[in-house]
Amino acid sequence: MNAADKIILFSGQRPQLSATQYRVVAYTGNGELLADDFHARVAGIARHLRQRPEQRWALVCDDTFWFAVGFLALARARKTLIFPQASGPANVAEAQAAAVLTDQPTRFPSLVTLDVAAVTESGTAVGTDLDDELLIELYTSGSTGRPKRVDKLLGQLRAEVAALEVQWGQTLGDAVVLATVPHHHLYGLLFRVLWPLWAGRPFYAPTCEQAFEFNTAASRFGRCLMVSSPAFLTRVTDFGRLQPSDAFRAVFSSGAPLPEATAAKIANESGRAAIEVYGSTETGGIAWRDWEPEVGQTPWHCLTGVEIAAPGNTPGLLRVRSPWTWRADWVETGDLGQALAQRRFLLHGRADSVLKVEDKRVSLAEMERHLVAHEFVSEARLLVLKGKRSSVGAVVVLSAAGRRQLQQAGAQKVRKLLLEMLRTWYEPVLVPRKWRFVESLPGNAMGKIESARLQALFTERG
Amino acid sequence: MNTLIDELKQLIIRVLDLEDVTPADIDPQAPLFGDGLGLDSIDALELGVAIQKHYHITLDATSAETRQHFYSLANLAKFITERQAS
């Protein structure tokens, strides 16, 4: 049996790549991880997991190679896979996982953990298909004040990955997959882990944090693609430095619209338009577009298999149905869309109050709930501050205990303690960067909090 | 080296628009990200760009090396000094 036969992640037709292209599953900073080793580990951990009584497993890994091993092992052992909203112990507890499969076991001292890197059992790969009905639970920020659980079946992910390969497989060939986005949210899970595994494209296990890492990787691999987001791409100063220039077969961007100037810059400097992908955790991938000069708003093209419903004459709520929406049924996006001919459409912003901070969806109501639950806080209002970067600002009325702490230890200490609490729940990008401690929240004569007056608290002090 | 560290402290506070942080608050040995100064992934990017611009150097490193170079202010100062010399 060659390596290609062993990567049976999903049933169905597979891309035609040579066996050598399946030999390397992932590259590390300076080495490579081979398919045989990968599959022996998956089989060994799956065997171990089958003997464990826990059914609901959170998968929390910092390293994408271990994440991929863990994903397949849990799927083979037919465990429910849970991806908490972020990687802290509080997120795992909120998701009601019975145990955690992780490469960071010391992060979860009070939970049942299995160190994915420490399982010594190994096994021979069993070439059986995975169960398409296997349940996968993802989390995203809702508008209601609590993290929102989104259920997927493995078959939905399989269908979506197959559609991505139909759309771009030929262009990408055997390119190495580089990424700047996390693997535990749907975009990263599909684009940097499951799609490469299924298509036999090696992925680069570290997450690239600096633009110059792409140069280093591009010259090492010679051929690659980038899975990124506007938060990252808007901060790359020079795409002409991505050398050799023909090494980049595609630059994917998702999470928010790519600003016009950045899209133009990528096209002009790298000679290749970024591919924007539109979708959400609830709907999966919906559509894509290449930036085109001088068209105003570039329309979105539906991915193969996607149907949309939206008014044609005026923007209205966009609904979506595809083989990877839940039970292939219609799902509302929360975005305003306008249908065009030939399965294309335009987007016109959100229909609800869900906000994004640097491409990440955040519920301010939820974060306010966490703050008010702290003994130092009696009231809290959060707002999105716009500047060179977008960030969250916090306006806080301290409780008696909070005021005592402020007098004894100072505002910096109070802020630090509140941040520590929020960091157990939120990704670093989302925690408030600016704080204002006030006597009372600024209200108008009607007792309503005015957002303009909240904003003013931050502009006055620069 | 100490001058460079002081300069980097000023650069970090200014470029990243850190409120209520003084140079004295930044321990050169402490982690810049996570539990230390608490910088995030956007800060990392902005800092990388600012350093290349300010010191007229071109950076080139693998992800693991980069993480090491950006771990603390002291590591960053060492990294910049090496690049300026080469």
Side-chain angles (χ1 to χ4, degrees):
Chain A
M1 187 158 62
N2 69 26
D5 297 323
K6 284 194 245 167
I7 305 188
I8 302 179
L9 174 57
F10 302 123
S11 55
Q13 202 184 349
R14 306 166 49 76
Q16 295 295 309
L17 293 178
S18 69
T20 52
Q21 283 163 323
Y22 287 96
R23 194 179 65 86
V24 177
V25 168
Y27 290 98
T28 60
N30 47 24
E32 54 187 36
L33 296 153
L34 302 179
D36 286 338
D37 180 42
F38 179 78
H39 290 287
R41 285 183 188 277
V42 168
I45 297 166
R47 179 192 289 168
H48 182 96
L49 285 168
R50 279 190 206 100
Q51 292 153 12
R52 296 282 295 246
E54 298 90 356
Q55 177 56 32
R56 297 173 50 78
W57 285 77
L59 178 61
V60 181
C61 294
D62 284 2
D63 184 282
T64 302
F65 173 73
W66 289 118
F67 180 86
V69 168
F71 185 98
L72 282 190
L74 286 166
R76 282 206 182 282
R78 296 186 182 239
K79 302 291 185 183
T80 299
L81 275 121
I82 301 169
F83 301 106
Q85 194 178 16
S87 303
N91 307 102
V92 173
E94 170 113 21
Q96 299 180 324
V100 196
L101 183 60
T102 180
D103 61 353
Q104 305 292 325
T106 55
R107 194 185 293 161
F108 308 97
S110 59
L111 297 170
V112 178
T113 57
L114 177 63
D115 185 348
V116 64
V119 175
T120 52
E121 291 168 60
S122 71
T124 41
V126 189
T128 51
D129 284 346
L130 297 174
D131 180 6
D132 270 356
E133 292 288 308
L134 188 79
L135 183 66
I136 294 163
E137 299 177 3
L138 295 121
Y139 281 83
T140 184
S141 289
S143 49
T144 59
R146 284 197 177 271
K148 181 178 171 190
R149 194 180 100 189
V150 179
D151 291 342
K152 303 268 173 193
L153 299 177
L154 186 62
Q156 287 174 256
L157 302 182
R158 174 184 59 74
E160 184 162 358
V161 160
L164 296 176
E165 185 66 17
V166 167
Q167 188 70 49
W168 291 294
Q170 287 264 307
T171 316
L172 303 179
D174 59 352
V176 178
V177 180
L178 311 177
T180 69
V181 297
H183 50 222
H184 61 274
H185 289 154
L186 188 64
Y187 171 49
L189 175 65
L190 292 168
F191 277 72
R192 73 178 290 195
V193 183
L194 300 184
W195 183 14
L197 278 179
W198 183 70
R201 275 180 206 108
F203 61 86
Y204 183 56
T207 301
C208 294
E209 290 169 354
Q210 295 284 343
F212 60 75
E213 291 171 47
F214 284 112
N215 303 320
T216 314
S219 36
R220 174 173 162 204
F221 302 123
R223 71 235 182 277
C224 30
L225 67 103
M226 219 168 148
V227 178
S228 192
S229 67
F232 191 94
L233 294 171
T234 51
R235 292 177 170 88
V236 177
T237 47
D238 185 1
F239 289 95
R241 275 188 60 209
L242 299 177
Q243 293 297 330
S245 58
D246 62 347
F248 278 87
R249 304 230 173 123
V251 175
F252 289 100
S253 175
S254 191
L258 197 56
E260 177 77 14
T262 308
K265 186 176 161 69
I266 294 172
N268 294 336
E269 291 178 6
S270 78
R272 194 181 288 278
I275 302 168
E276 284 185 85
V277 180
Y278 164 59
S280 67
T281 310
E282 293 89 339
T283 58
I286 297 171
W288 62 276
R289 65 180 182 185
D290 291 338
W291 177 78
E292 294 167 40
E294 292 163 22
V295 294
Q297 200 199 140
T298 309
W300 295 90
H301 303 260
C302 289
L303 282 162
T304 308
V306 173
E307 291 174 80
I308 57 143
N313 44 2
T314 173
L317 194 61
L318 181 71
R319 296 185 308 135
V320 178
R321 179 164 78 170
S322 74
W324 49 90
T325 53
W326 185 257
R327 301 292 179 207
D329 209 348
W330 288 97
V331 179
E332 284 187 358
T333 59
D335 290 317
L336 295 170
Q338 191 178 352
L340 303 171
Q342 296 167 321
R343 305 179 65 246
R344 294 178 312 150
F345 60 93
L346 296 173
L347 283 177
H348 297 278
R350 288 294 292 184
D352 60 20
S353 60
V354 167
L355 297 170
K356 285 203 167 178
V357 171
E358 295 295 343
D359 309 344
K360 292 176 197 294
R361 214 199 260 185
V362 63
S363 162
L364 298 182
E366 176 197 306
M367 205 185 293
E368 287 168 358
R369 189 171 64 84
H370 287 304
L371 273 175
V372 172
H374 195 281
E375 57 163 336
F376 290 171
V377 178
S378 76
E379 289 183 275
R381 281 292 183 285
L382 300 174
L383 59 160
V384 174
L385 305 172
K386 302 280 180 202
K388 197 169 67 172
R389 62 175 283 174
S390 62
S391 64
V392 175
V395 181
V396 172
V397 179
L398 293 172
S399 65
R403 285 198 300 273
R404 269 197 305 279
Q405 181 74 21
L406 184 77
Q407 278 155 12
Q408 288 163 11
Q412 207 179 355
K413 178 71 179 170
V414 173
R415 198 188 54 195
K416 192 165 181 283
L417 291 171
L418 293 175
L419 275 172
E420 271 171 20
M421 180 275 293
L422 288 177
R423 285 203 185 102
T424 64
W425 291 97
Y426 292 96
E427 299 174 61
V429 169
L430 295 178
V431 298
R433 282 175 78 82
K434 297 191 176 178
W435 295 75
R436 297 291 179 268
F437 296 112
V438 295
E439 291 291 314
S440 61
L441 294 175
N444 62 13
M446 308 292 287
K448 202 166 151 50
I449 310 290
E450 285 183 74
S451 65
R453 291 182 64 188
L454 288 174
Q455 287 280 355
L457 289 172
F458 294 90
T459 45
E460 279 160 15
R461 264 179 59 184
Chain B
M1 194 58 131
N2 282 336
T3 332
L4 179 57
I5 283 179
D6 288 339
E7 202 175 273
L8 278 172
K9 285 181 176 180
Q10 303 281 1
L11 184 81
I12 285 173
I13 291 169
R14 183 169 47 81
V15 169
L16 306 182
D17 187 22
L18 301 183
E19 267 193 7
D20 307 322
V21 177
T22 64
D25 296 330
I26 307 176
D27 173 1
Q29 308 298 332
L32 288 171
F33 302 91
D35 294 336
L37 193 56
L39 302 184
D40 62 30
S41 57
I42 308 281
D43 294 319
L45 268 169
E46 305 246 348
L47 189 56
V49 170
I51 284 169
Q52 299 194 62
K53 214 159 117 186
H54 190 85
Y55 294 101
H56 306 290
I57 49 175
T58 302
L59 303 181
D60 175 19
T62 67
S63 301
E65 290 161 0
T66 303
R67 234 161 248 132
Q68 208 48 48
H69 298 318
F70 281 74
Y71 175 77
S72 66
L73 206 62
N75 287 16
L76 204 50
K78 186 164 163 273
F79 182 43
I80 292 168
T81 312
E82 284 165 11
R83 287 306 137 120
Q84 283 176 320
S86 65

